[in-house]
Amino acid sequence: MTTNPPTPQRPAAAPGASAPMAFLSMAPGAAIAVAAKGLTKHFGNFEAVGGIDFDVYEGECFGLLGPNGAGKSTTIRMICCLTGRTAGSLSVLGIPAEPGQRAIKSQLGVVSQEDYLDPALTVRENIEIHGRFYGLSPQVASERAAELLEFMQLDGKAGQQVRALSGGMRRRLVIARALMGRPRLLVLDEPTTGLDPQARILVWRKVRELKAQGVTVLLTTHYMDEAQRLCDRLVVIDHGHILEAGRPRELIERLVGRECLECPDLDAAAAEQLAAALSPEDEAWHEWQGDSWVLFSPNLARILDRWVAAAIAPPLSYRRPAGLEDVFLRLTGRELRD
């Protein structure tokens, strides 16, 4: 019989960090776009989502982060009314979320991992046809398609067939298509996977513009720099349970600190020597990230001064700001997921 994985435990805050911030709304009285309470989904004996609570506020970018198999996709499918919940409550835009709920789906824009574009049609035809699903007249669909193609910098490709587009252009077309119904809630599921840096930056800029227009964005991504740049707030989920929640910078400072020392290609003996040179007063902790030994401490400068004086400083190292990727790895571990 299949057994459910144990509920993961939150790690302690980084030594010297401040106490956890309350997971508050963006502003007093902010309207809630998505409200989940005890949200649960079982597939037979398998618990895909295990009673999670979160709110997404209107006009923010909210991140749902986690490794493969964490429960993100199942949560997204429940929000998009593609599958039902086993227990708990879920409302989207003030409406109870149920499979096929048209009152919700008509106000959603969804960018899925698969683009489902028709390669035999032109760029303009792909987006205009999608407008028909929202009940737009041919004239309105044509006008809106022109606006969105310009918005996503694809107006010069309107007459080309989709098969002629680059991967980045196809992804931008999928985002433009998702905006045809002028959604209140835009769901971005891995929106920049496979894009080159220029295309990623363009997508980030467009997400910020949409937020400025009042669109609520729900983002899943494996790019931690993307989540750190775009998300106002986020949750980290694994094995169907929320491990942490908060604003990116608050999570970084609370769980790993502001900066770290990264020592690439350090051998085990040298790492043991450095670890032995730490004292409890340093409030330090360290870990391996691939081939790099990484040291975290709020007293990093003092540690480095002492090591230099004792001639035990590593031959190759660099200080860098701690980031959301450090948080993610600390919370979810480093083993590969299928």
Side-chain angles (χ1 to χ4, degrees), residues 96-246:
E98 302 291 348
Q101 175 61 271
R102 295 184 62 85
I104 292 175
K105 296 177 77 172
S106 65
Q107 300 182 79
L108 293 183
V110 180
V111 176
S112 61
Q113 294 183 37
E114 301 294 331
D115 62 40
Y116 301 111
L117 296 169
D118 190 330
L121 299 179
T122 67
V123 168
R124 178 183 291 276
E125 288 169 342
N126 263 276
I127 193 170
E128 287 181 348
I129 287 176
H130 196 70
R132 305 295 179 86
F133 296 127
Y134 292 97
L136 303 181
S137 68
Q139 180 179 350
V140 172
S142 178
E143 293 171 354
R144 197 168 295 177
E147 294 172 1
L148 290 171
L149 291 176
E150 182 179 2
F151 178 69
M152 294 304 299
Q153 298 185 16
L154 288 169
D155 44 320
K157 304 291 183 180
Q160 292 190 11
Q161 288 188 326
V162 168
R163 61 167 59 98
L165 298 183
S166 67
M169 291 178 182
R170 290 175 66 100
R171 208 70 185 133
R172 282 149 52 195
L173 177 57
V174 173
I175 296 173
R177 184 182 63 180
L179 297 173
M180 277 294 281
R182 292 184 176 166
R184 291 175 58 191
L185 174 63
L186 178 64
V187 178
L188 301 177
D189 191 3
E190 305 287 345
T192 63
T193 298
L195 299 191
D196 59 33
Q198 292 86 349
R200 288 183 73 203
I201 290 171
L202 175 62
V203 170
W204 293 347
R205 177 154 50 89
K206 296 305 179 183
V207 170
R208 293 191 186 99
E209 290 179 22
L210 290 167
K211 276 183 53 188
Q213 297 171 16
V215 177
T216 305
V217 179
L218 180 61
L219 173 71
T220 72
T221 180
H222 286 301
Y223 296 128
M224 294 300 106
D225 62 329
E226 181 165 273
Q228 189 170 331
R229 286 170 181 258
L230 294 180
C231 293
D232 299 293
R233 299 181 306 135
L234 58 88
V235 295
V236 180
I237 184 173
D238 199 9
H239 300 300
H241 296 269
I242 291 177
L243 305 183
E244 279 290 350

